[in-house]
Amino acid sequence: NAGVTQTPKFRILKIGQSMTLQCTQDMNHNYMYWYRQDPGMGLKLIYYSVGAGITDKGEVPNGYNVSRSTTEDFPLRLELAAPSQTSVYFCASSYSTGEGGETQYFGPGTRLLVL
Amino acid sequence: GQNIDQPTEMTATEGAIVQINCTYQTSGFNGLFWYQQHAGEAPTFLSYNVLDGLEEKGRFSSFLSRSKGYSYLLLKELQMKDSASYLCAVLDSNYQLIWGAGTKLIIKP
């Protein structure tokens, strides 16, 4: 199992550009999450999904969009990139949110720099 | 609001024992996680506590007191590879993880 994979590893964007961060998991997990991690701060939840076709906002959703057409894939879309979106983005997945399946497994991250 | 507090940085000596504390105030509680994160890498799962008491896993142990809103991660026989950030996270009433800012642990020879 590859676990959770993310592409790209690193990207530089100009202000106003758009991009999609890709995330794929091969563990047949129902739940998937997107976080951002800024220096000295805890992970902040951007969006999450409880299954294919179902997504919901987290704590910091503004400026982002997601979709979940399959169990495996959960791409994150940045529209009109801003310097405030410079961060490290992590995708994670878990089997469930109860009955011992709550552990989240993380991808390697995407470092995004917006200039 | 929801809040998780842990020390920003700690230093310990190779071979010694270190305890990293975490206090939390969250809307509901469905478990507490500890993750390890090496610089430039993803967080990796260390432990999960949902009941009061101590959970031991090799050199690492995690303790929980729900009545005090308190947990600690105990690392024994420290090795240089244990130099990393340790993240405390609480699963709240909505089953969402609320994360602390992490404790950077520096191990000195």
Side-chain angles (χ1 to χ4, degrees):
Chain A
N1 282 356
V4 182
T5 57
Q6 292 182 236
T7 57
K9 290 185 179 179
F10 178 68
R11 181 80 183 266
I12 299 175
L13 279 183
K14 294 182 179 179
I15 294 171
Q17 286 185 321
S18 301
M19 75 166 293
T20 299
L21 283 66
Q22 301 291 345
C23 174
T24 300
Q25 54 91 11
D26 63 358
M27 298 177 282
N28 202 31
H29 283 172
N30 295 313
Y31 291 74
M32 296 188 74
Y33 314 83
W34 273 106
Y35 292 95
R36 59 177 288 172
Q37 186 177 39
D38 300 312
M41 307 283 286
L43 289 157
K44 300 293 185 185
L45 183 64
I46 304 171
Y47 271 95
Y48 66 99
S49 169
V50 303
I54 306 170
T55 63
D56 209 345
K57 295 178 180 179
E59 184 181 357
V60 290
N62 291 345
Y64 307 95
N65 275 300
V66 293
S67 59
R68 183 100 182 267
S69 56
T70 67
T71 299
E72 295 78 18
D73 299 307
F74 190 41
L76 177 72
R77 178 83 178 160
L78 276 72
E79 304 283 1
L80 299 174
S84 61
Q85 293 178 305
T86 292
S87 190
V88 181
Y89 292 85
F90 288 104
C91 178
S93 71
S94 66
Y95 180 68
S96 70
T97 57
E99 300 175 350
E102 306 89 345
T103 301
Q104 294 186 17
Y105 297 91
F106 285 78
T110 294
R111 299 179 185 283
L112 177 66
L113 179 61
V114 182
L115 299 173
Chain B
Q2 308 206 85
N3 196 48
I4 297 187
D5 287 317
Q6 45 181 138
T8 303
E9 187 174 297
M10 299 181 71
T11 302
T13 304
E14 190 177 15
I17 300 173
V18 71
Q19 178 175 310
I20 302 174
N21 295 325
C22 170
T23 58
Y24 62 89
Q25 290 179 308
T26 56
S27 57
F29 179 86
N30 283 298
L32 185 143
F33 290 83
W34 284 96
Y35 279 77
Q36 181 189 60
Q37 186 177 25
H38 285 101
E41 297 183 6
T44 55
F45 170 74
L46 284 178
S47 68
Y48 171 63
N49 294 68
V50 66
L51 299 176
D52 289 351
L54 187 69
E55 295 275 346
E56 298 187 75
K57 260 190 197 181
R59 295 189 298 115
F60 292 9
S61 303
S62 56
F63 172 83
L64 174 67
S65 170
R66 288 172 297 172
S67 62
K68 295 182 179 178
Y70 169 69
S71 172
Y72 67 74
L73 181 69
L74 191 71
L75 291 74
K76 302 176 185 175
E77 301 169 14
L78 286 170
Q79 303 174 10
M80 296 305 292
K81 67 178 182 180
D82 297 330
S83 292
S85 288
Y86 291 86
L87 313 180
C88 174
V90 172
L91 204 60
D92 72 5
S93 57
N94 294 319
Y95 286 92
Q96 290 191 6
L97 274 179
I98 309 302
W99 295 83
T103 298
K104 183 178 180 181
L105 178 62
I106 299 168
I107 309 297
K108 295 186 174 179

